[in-house]
């Protein structure tokens, strides 16, 4: 799998990137998705997937680009599904780690360590995808939003959020981005949005009841007749 992750890490989406180079990145993402999805089907061993800091960052770097966002989301979803199947929360938790790192132990085929998929990169990308206007029924947007909701559902699993600091996730923005899709006519998107909303409202309640008044809960907004959400 490292043969896919190395180009994903080093590629930069800029004006100098050619169409052929972008297609190579799309191909790498699709191959990564296929290999990990196969592990999900066959219960593949842990040593077959690189550690979280070598996987999450290189994939997350391709979420904000229309040509690579869907294959990147599919690859992320496969990684998180595989980890969830093994009760391994480290891959989901890696999405909340700050992106910058100079840890010399983070070697990556003798190159500098790939950036971690931090909350300052991965999560806002998911929110932006979910906040897009898909009212026109654009199938590409809906497909990307379904996969973004799926990834967010894995990242907001109660077992993951329970050992993360409260500041790691923008609860209000995350909840709003899911509520917008609860009535979607796209069944897959609606189901993943419901899963996200349930997890987030449970976490909101946990933080609300466990705080000393310093946490601004989202749940009360749902009962207001003119709430800002």
């Amino acid at each position: 799998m490292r043969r896919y992750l190395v180009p994903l890490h080093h590629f930069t989406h800029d004006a100098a990137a050619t169409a052929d180079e972008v297609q190579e990145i799309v191909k790498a993402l699709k191959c990564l998705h296929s290999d990990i999805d196969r592990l999900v089907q066959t219960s593949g061993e842990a040593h077959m997937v690189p550690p979280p800091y070598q996987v999450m960052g290189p994939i997350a770097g391709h979420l904000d680009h229309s040509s690579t966002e869907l294959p990147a989301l599919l690859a992320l979803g496969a990684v998180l599904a595989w980890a969830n199947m093994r009760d391994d929360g480290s891959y989901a938790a890696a999405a909340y780690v700050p992106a910058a790192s100079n840890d010399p132990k983070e070697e990556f085929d003798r190159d500098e360590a790939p950036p971690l998929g931090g909350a300052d990169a991965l999560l806002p990308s998911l929110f932006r995808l979910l906040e897009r206007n898909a009212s026109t029924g654009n199938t590409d947007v809906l497909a990307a939003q379904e996969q973004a909701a799926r990834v967010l559902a894995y990242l907001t699993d109660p077992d993951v959020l329970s050992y993360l600091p409260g500041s790691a996730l923008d609860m209000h923005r995350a909840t709003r981005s899911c509520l917008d899709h609860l009535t979607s006519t796209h069944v897959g998107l609606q189901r993943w949005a419901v899963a996200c909303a349930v997890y987030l409202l449970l976490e909101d309640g946990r933080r609300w009841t466990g705080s000393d008044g310093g946490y601004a809960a989202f749940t009360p907004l749902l009962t207001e007749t003119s709430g800002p959400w």
Side-chain angles (χ1 to χ4, degrees):
M1 291 186 189
R2 293 173 186 269
R3 66 184 182 277
Y4 308 134
L5 293 170
V6 169
L8 294 181
H9 165 48
H10 288 289
F11 182 79
T12 301
H13 289 271
D14 55 26
T18 67
D20 288 342
E21 289 173 333
V22 172
Q23 284 307 306
E24 287 300 313
I25 294 301
V26 170
K27 186 183 298 184
L29 287 166
K30 288 182 176 180
C31 290
L32 183 61
H33 167 224
S34 178
D35 282 3
I36 296 178
D37 195 51
R38 192 176 298 114
L39 293 181
V40 174
Q41 304 300 323
T42 61
S43 302
E45 296 299 321
H47 71 274
M48 301 181 73
V49 179
Y53 65 84
Q54 291 186 352
V55 175
M56 301 299 286
I59 299 175
H62 303 283
L63 290 179
D64 281 326
H65 308 279
S66 59
S67 56
T68 56
E69 65 185 11
L70 183 55
L73 287 165
L74 288 167
L76 271 177
V79 170
L80 293 169
W82 173 83
N84 183 268
M85 180 184 69
R86 301 180 59 81
D87 293 325
D88 182 353
S90 63
Y91 288 83
Y96 295 92
V97 177
S101 176
N102 293 314
D103 189 341
K105 295 185 295 183
E106 294 179 352
E107 295 180 358
F108 193 65
D109 289 351
R110 299 182 181 179
D111 296 321
E112 70 173 19
L116 302 177
D120 59 340
L122 197 157
L123 288 168
S125 294
L126 295 179
F127 297 152
R128 284 191 290 272
L129 279 165
L130 290 169
E131 289 163 356
R132 284 184 190 171
N133 183 0
S135 60
T136 58
N138 186 305
T139 55
D140 291 337
V141 172
L142 289 171
Q145 288 181 328
E146 177 185 355
Q147 296 306 316
R150 178 193 182 201
V151 170
L152 189 58
Y154 284 119
L155 296 182
T156 55
D157 184 291
D159 290 336
V160 174
L161 293 182
S162 63
Y163 60 86
L164 292 172
S167 60
L169 176 65
D170 184 340
M171 288 292 299
H172 285 222
R173 186 178 183 186
T175 307
R176 288 190 183 97
S177 69
C178 292
L179 292 178
D180 287 343
H181 301 290
L182 295 185
T183 57
S184 173
T185 56
H186 189 287
V187 176
L189 172 57
Q190 184 188 55
R191 287 176 176 172
W192 284 113
V194 168
C196 287
V198 170
Y199 288 161
L200 289 165
L201 290 174
L202 286 172
E203 176 65 11
D204 187 66
R206 184 183 73 85
R207 294 187 185 187
W208 189 16
T209 57
S211 71
D212 57 1
Y215 175 70
F218 184 88
T219 304
L221 301 179
L222 297 174
T223 61
E224 294 181 2
T225 57
S226 58
W229 66 276

